[in-house]
Amino acid sequence: MAKSNATKSATKSVQSETKPAKSVKAAADAKAAEAAEAAEAAAKEAARQAAADAFRDRLAGHAAELEELFMGLYGDHAAYEQLLAAMEQAATDRPADLQAIDKAREQDPDWYKRGDMFGMTMYTDLFAGDLKKLAGRIDYLKEQKLTYLHLMPLLKMPHPNNDGGYAVEDFDEVDPLLGSNEDLANLTKKLREAGISLCLDFVMNHTASSHRWAKAAQAGDPEYQDYYFCYDDRTIPDMYDAVVPQVFPSAAPGNFTWNEQMGKWVMTQFYPFQWDLNYRNPKVLVAMMSSVMHLANLGVEVFRLDAVPYIWKELGTNCRNLPTVHVIVRILRIILECVCPGVVLKGEVVMAPKELAAYFGTPEKPECHMLYNVSVMVNLWSALASQDTRLLKAQLDALNALPDNCWFVNYLRCHDDIGWGLDEDVERRLGIDPLAHKEFLYHFYEGAVPGSWSMGELYNYDEPSRDARSCGTTASLCGVEKAIITHDRPAFDRAIERDLLMHRAMAFLRGFPMLNCGDEIGQLNGWEYKEDPDRIEDSRNLHRSPFDWDKAALRTEEGTLQQRLWDGMADLRAMRDDPCFGPDAWVTTWDSGDDGILAVVRQCDGETLVGLFNFATTPRHAHLNASQYVMDALDADLAPYEARIIRR
């Protein structure tokens, strides 16, 4: 039935009244949204201005030194202005939550020295697949109360020849196989919420041969050839080779590679596909520093400076630990303190203890905040195989004698090999033949010495020098794998005791402990790498295998390998929840009266802890003499591989 005229009229009247009402509301909503948007923009601009002001205030305290260092190195005002502009831009663009961390850590500069610091290192793809999936596994990291996560190199790299990610194709972009920059920023945000700081490697010494700079150099561009060390003939390369040691004399002999496309020799100290950067060129420094700041603004809180002793080259020298290296590291430290003071530098310095202190700088002019404790890692494995802690004790004494600003990340295994760089002068003083001892160690850990319980492999064996390094997971090197294969239960129990002894000793030392992912569940060697043509040539892949989530699920099952080691790591964290592990603790070794037992004393605020670690296969007795103001005399009987903590 058709509507009546009255009904139609009423309907039109309602519609005419509703339309203006809706129109007014929409206009009001639009105006409110516009105001909110304007307020948000104003807040962002205010935050940017505050960040810029804070940067200028911090720069004011460093500007004179920064300019002096930069101009002394390059004498290039235009390049210096470019650096300052890049710094201000990075500071202004820094996200608000990261600025908050900066402010908090300026008030708490020793945050990374606290006793509750507990770290882990891993490969993103081996642990979870990619960055998004890793973000979904953070609960596993929180379960271990981690405060520090070191992810192996994840920036864009060539495939397959990338040296485990240390051949970088783009310092500003995440490798597409692992995710995107957005994925990295999202991951760091979730890690911060979980109380975990992310560490990434920054490969300062070289780029991949497929980096855009290297491609331009190969195409004949002289500007980019000056980003590297490129020579028409062998004259200068031969002068370098006469005094510069080879890093990998067997796997990658020589320090230069002939590039057919470019028609020049290029310096490649590590591998032919890694071109050494020329830091004599200020454009290189400015570009690399810009990349550091970019990554810091994505949420990276710690940078591991890879191969930092090698970054400056000079004819007539061995191109290691040169004074200019420290100028560059100091410049980087100043940049971070001005732009992102919550960020920390960790140096990878595989050098003798006498070389280490310089990389910390001085309290007035600091460089690295902390270093990888490579030398103690090596000496721990030496003590375990030889049942003799004298070399380890001497190394600890040398490190403990360093100034208070020197701090270390202690570990047993990482992505790399064990290079047997022991202190040969100390060895000779103790009556140990350095070469014979090195050969004993690397043969012991490949299981080729009678009585060895270890299963590992050699890496980079060099027949002329009889030098070699060792590969394998902690559990396999400690005897777990061999005991499982031979169905030897007593040997299995003893292997777990060795594993826990090594972790407990490592965690008791000056610095903070870092686990290699998988060691918390006793992951074994990944021999399957030999079936992969892209991996078989590098025996370090033995300990670079996918994380075994099925084995990890056994960590709560009583009596399993996984449960025993998982609970052992929990004991480490409980041990370190003590005032004697604070930043100001005094740490020293003590004579135990038995070369098989390492004794370490920690003291802080009137509290004293003694750590006794028996590296021998037999029961041993420790006697520690008394010392005024430290402790009374102490006697203790220790079972094989026992670690005991005693409060005095």
Side-chain angles (χ1 to χ4, degrees), residues 516-537:
N516 194 44
C517 184
D519 280 358
E520 76 279 10
I521 57 168
Q523 190 146 326
L524 306 180
N525 290 331
W527 299 98
E528 69 278 0
Y529 88 90
K530 293 179 179 293
E531 300 170 9
D532 185 340
D534 291 335
R535 304 175 73 222
I536 190 172
E537 295 298 326

Side-chain angles (χ1 to χ4, degrees), residues 262-557:
M262 186 168 54
K264 293 178 182 288
W265 291 92
V266 60
M267 182 180 282
T268 57
Q269 287 196 85
F270 286 77
Y271 287 101
F273 52 83
Q274 292 168 314
W275 288 20
D276 287 48
L277 284 166
N278 176 18
Y279 279 92
R280 294 179 178 278
N281 184 344
K283 294 179 181 177
V284 170
L285 181 76
V286 173
M288 294 295 280
M289 297 301 102
S290 297
S291 292
V292 171
M293 292 184 279
H294 170 69
L295 292 169
N297 279 358
L298 290 177
V300 179
E301 297 181 39
V302 184
F303 288 100
R304 173 188 178 270
L305 303 182
D306 179 67
V308 67
Y310 298 80
I311 63 175
W312 190 264
K313 281 75 175 176
E314 195 160 322
L315 275 173
T317 74
N318 68 357
C319 297
R320 309 281 196 275
N321 305 304
L322 298 180
T324 313
V325 169
H326 299 288
V327 174
I328 293 173
V329 178
R330 177 62 186 152
I331 287 173
L332 174 55
R333 176 70 179 257
I334 291 173
I335 290 170
L336 296 183
E337 289 191 353
C338 293
V339 174
C340 45
V343 173
V344 164
L345 293 176
K346 177 176 72 171
E348 186 223 12
V349 183
V350 188
M351 300 288 165
K354 64 183 179 181
E355 304 282 3
L356 299 183
Y359 286 90
F360 291 103
T362 65
E364 297 75 28
K365 296 181 178 181
E367 295 177 25
C368 291
H369 296 76
M370 52 190 175
L371 297 184
Y372 247 15
N373 206 342
V374 180
S375 57
V376 164
M377 178 272 292
V378 173
N379 276 278
L380 281 164
W381 288 108
S382 171
L384 188 65
S386 64
Q387 304 180 57
D388 185 346
T389 66
R390 291 179 298 163
L391 280 174
L392 173 59
K393 183 179 184 302
Q395 191 75 20
L396 291 173
D397 288 341
L399 295 179
N400 290 335
L402 293 175
D404 290 342
N405 64 310
C406 301
W407 200 250
F408 295 94
V409 177
N410 299 313
Y411 66 103
L412 296 177
R413 296 298 296 115
C414 65
H415 70 287
D416 222 340
D417 54 86
I418 302 173
W420 299 106
L422 300 167
D423 192 322
E424 295 187 1
D425 290 337
V426 175
E427 287 183 288
R428 293 187 187 96
R429 190 171 71 242
L430 295 174
I432 300 171
D433 181 292
L435 182 56
H437 187 53
K438 180 188 295 186
E439 288 185 301
F440 161 75
L441 290 170
Y442 64 66
H443 285 314
F444 184 94
Y445 283 110
E446 68 168 338
V449 171
S452 171
W453 18 257
S454 184
M455 289 186 69
E457 279 195 309
L458 300 186
Y459 172 68
N460 205 36
Y461 177 73
D462 182 54
E463 189 171 352
S465 66
R466 292 154 61 187
D467 187 39
R469 309 176 186 199
S470 298
C471 301
T473 68
T474 298
S476 290
L477 294 178
C478 285
V480 173
E481 185 171 357
K482 184 175 182 179
I484 291 174
I485 290 172
T486 58
H487 303 282
D488 189 333
R489 182 68 195 202
F492 177 74
D493 292 337
R494 189 58 53 89
I496 294 176
E497 291 166 1
R498 287 189 200 100
D499 191 308
L500 291 173
L501 167 78
M502 291 285 280
H503 277 101
R504 286 166 179 158
M506 174 270 290
F508 200 82
L509 305 178
R510 183 180 180 185
F512 76 82
M514 181 177 72
L515 304 183
N516 194 44
C517 184
D519 280 358
E520 76 279 10
I521 57 168
Q523 190 146 326
L524 306 180
N525 290 331
W527 299 98
E528 69 278 0
Y529 88 90
K530 293 179 179 293
E531 300 170 9
D532 185 340
D534 291 335
R535 304 175 73 222
I536 190 172
E537 295 298 326
D538 190 339
S539 58
R540 292 176 298 180
N541 287 315
L542 182 64
H543 51 263
R544 298 174 180 175
S545 54
F547 185 75
D548 194 330
W549 286 100
D550 289 336
K551 288 293 196 312
L554 300 176
R555 65 189 182 274
T556 58
E557 189 172 317

Side-chain angles (χ1 to χ4, degrees), residues 30-197:
K31 189 173 183 180
E34 186 178 323
E37 189 175 323
E40 183 179 356
K44 285 184 178 180
E45 182 56 35
R48 286 172 61 84
Q49 188 58 52
D53 291 343
F55 163 73
R56 295 187 191 104
D57 289 343
R58 291 192 291 259
L59 179 62
H62 290 294
E65 184 189 357
L66 181 60
E67 183 173 12
E68 180 183 358
L69 292 173
F70 191 95
M71 296 304 294
L73 206 55
Y74 301 116
D76 189 327
H77 282 284
Y80 180 63
E81 291 301 320
Q82 288 175 353
L83 176 63
L84 291 181
M87 290 169 63
E88 181 161 7
Q89 186 66 54
T92 304
D93 292 343
R94 192 150 170 82
D97 58 339
L98 297 179
Q99 291 182 47
I101 288 178
D102 291 336
K103 291 178 182 178
R105 288 179 179 170
E106 283 183 298
Q107 301 302 314
D108 181 23
D110 287 337
W111 65 272
Y112 60 94
K113 295 182 177 181
R114 293 194 299 264
D116 64 353
M117 284 295 291
F118 197 72
M120 176 172 282
T121 182
M122 65 173 61
Y123 282 95
T124 300
D125 55 339
L126 297 179
F127 180 69
D130 59 31
L131 293 173
K132 284 183 179 178
K133 292 175 182 175
L134 195 155
R137 294 287 192 177
I138 289 179
D139 283 348
Y140 179 80
L141 308 181
K142 288 173 63 177
E143 196 177 340
Q144 298 177 75
K145 299 182 180 178
L146 294 188
T147 60
Y148 173 102
L149 178 66
H150 178 187
L151 293 180
M152 288 294 99
L154 49 73
L155 299 179
K156 190 177 180 184
M157 64 189 83
H159 296 279
N161 292 325
N162 55 50
D163 188 27
Y166 288 93
V168 181
E169 206 169 68
D170 190 330
F171 289 94
D172 296 318
E173 293 292 330
V174 169
D175 191 89
L177 293 181
L178 298 174
S180 65
N181 286 11
E182 183 181 4
D183 294 333
L184 178 59
N186 289 337
L187 173 65
T188 60
K189 183 176 182 180
K190 290 184 177 180
L191 288 171
R192 286 194 299 277
E193 292 169 354
I196 302 172
S197 297

